């Protein structure tokens, strides 16, 4: 199941219906709790689109509370809260500075979908992870041997990197197949992807 959470709506519900700016740490913490509450109502596995389209300003403290602390709950190698994947949608260039800073500080990465529909990988990513992630974006879904062939790397290297990307919740794993969070042809939006055969339909 693909869920969409409008961050500005959570802000208005959790803090004040007059606000469209995400500033101060207490505001960020309240918005994160509101998002977590919505996530608690979905299944143990889900792909969630966090929509920042209507957020005007995002400062560093809110980026740390909402983006970093939310991701940290789901990318823990030892005890992840649940198997939840995120696509960050509608983030503007003015949001990016704060988000890149907190991603670097916590060694995190995320998938962002820009207004033109093209996804972008942000944060701390090594060369192998970026190569395999871009290959998966083109393929949509594939087994490690297909990814290795397309990327021009060994099967072992592709398999290990896909596992690394899965633990970081940057690709979905379903049995022996891996699925891109924004798969399909370049320019395809997340909503369009959801209607394809590559969509992670088994998530619930």
């Amino acid at each position: 199941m693909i869920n969409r959470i409008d961050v500005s709506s959570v802000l208005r519900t959790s803090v004040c219906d007059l606000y469209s700016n995400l500033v101060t740490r207490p505001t960020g913490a309240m918005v994160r709790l509101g998002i977590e509450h919505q996530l608690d109502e979905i299944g143990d596995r889900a792909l969630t689109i966090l929509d920042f389209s209507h957020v005007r300003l995002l400062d560093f403290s809110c980026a740390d509370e909402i983006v970093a602390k939310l991701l940290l709950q789901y990318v823990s190698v030892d005890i992840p809260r649940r198997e939840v994947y995120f696509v960050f949608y509608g983030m503007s260039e003015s949001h990016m500075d704060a988000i890149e800073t907190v991603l670097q500080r916590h060694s995190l990465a995320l998938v962002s979908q820009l207004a033109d529909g093209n996804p972008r990988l942000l944060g701390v990513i090594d060369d192998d992870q970026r190569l395999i992630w871009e290959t998966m974006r083109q393929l949509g879904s594939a087994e490690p041997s297909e990814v290795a062939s397309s990327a021009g790397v060994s099967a072992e290297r592709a398999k290990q990197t896909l596992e690394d990307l899965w633990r970081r919740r940057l690709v979905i794993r379903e049995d022996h197949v891996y699925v891109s969070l924004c798969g399909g042809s370049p320019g395809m939006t997340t909503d369009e992807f959801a209607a394809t055969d590559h969509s992670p339909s088994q998530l619930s």
Side-chain angles (χ1 to χ4, degrees):
M1 177 182 295
I2 298 180
N3 307 279
R4 182 183 291 272
I5 296 176
D6 185 337
V7 178
S8 66
S9 293
V10 179
L11 172 64
R12 291 192 298 272
T13 302
S14 305
V15 183
C16 176
D17 60 7
L18 299 178
Y19 288 178
S20 59
N21 296 332
L22 285 171
V23 293
T24 78
R25 191 168 291 279
T27 296
M30 291 185 68
V31 170
R32 174 169 48 78
L33 290 173
I35 294 171
E36 290 172 2
H37 177 71
Q38 292 192 33
L39 293 173
D40 286 341
E41 295 178 347
I42 62 178
D44 288 337
R45 300 181 75 226
L47 170 58
T48 296
I49 300 168
L50 285 183
D51 190 346
F52 283 76
S53 299
H54 304 294
V55 173
R56 293 177 55 193
L57 178 64
L58 175 69
D59 72 1
F60 169 80
S61 57
C62 270
D64 194 56
E65 285 290 336
I66 297 172
V67 177
K69 289 188 177 179
L70 190 63
L71 287 177
L72 284 169
Q73 298 181 55
Y74 297 97
V75 301
S76 167
V77 173
D78 299 323
I79 310 176
R81 183 168 174 163
R82 286 199 308 274
E83 193 171 338
V84 178
Y85 305 86
F86 296 99
V87 173
F88 290 76
Y89 178 81
M91 295 193 302
S92 68
E93 289 299 325
S94 66
H95 300 149
M96 293 296 185
D97 287 344
I99 289 172
E100 284 279 14
T101 299
V102 300
L103 293 176
Q104 292 289 333
R105 174 170 291 188
H106 296 282
S107 295
L108 293 167
L110 59 79
V111 176
S112 172
Q113 188 170 47
L114 307 180
D116 61 5
N118 288 316
R120 181 194 296 181
L121 201 52
L122 303 177
V124 179
I125 293 291
D126 66 28
D127 291 342
D128 274 1
Q129 291 173 348
R130 186 171 295 281
L131 171 64
I132 297 302
W133 186 85
E134 290 288 352
T135 302
M136 282 300 307
R137 185 168 72 89
Q138 297 294 324
L139 294 174
S141 63
E143 295 187 4
S145 59
E146 298 174 86
V147 177
S149 177
S150 295
V153 301
S154 69
E156 181 179 356
R157 182 175 162 190
K159 171 69 175 176
Q160 182 58 56
T161 306
L162 283 165
E163 282 292 292
D164 291 342
L165 292 172
W166 171 69
R167 290 191 181 93
R168 303 188 74 186
R169 300 298 184 249
L170 299 173
V171 299
I172 298 165
R173 187 179 71 183
E174 293 184 354
D175 296 327
H176 302 295
V177 174
Y178 294 83
V179 182
S180 170
L181 299 189
C182 296
S185 59
M188 179 179 287
T189 67
T190 302
D191 288 338
E192 290 169 340
F193 172 53
T196 71
D197 292 338
H198 298 307
S199 173
S201 57
Q202 299 305 311
L203 296 180
S204 61

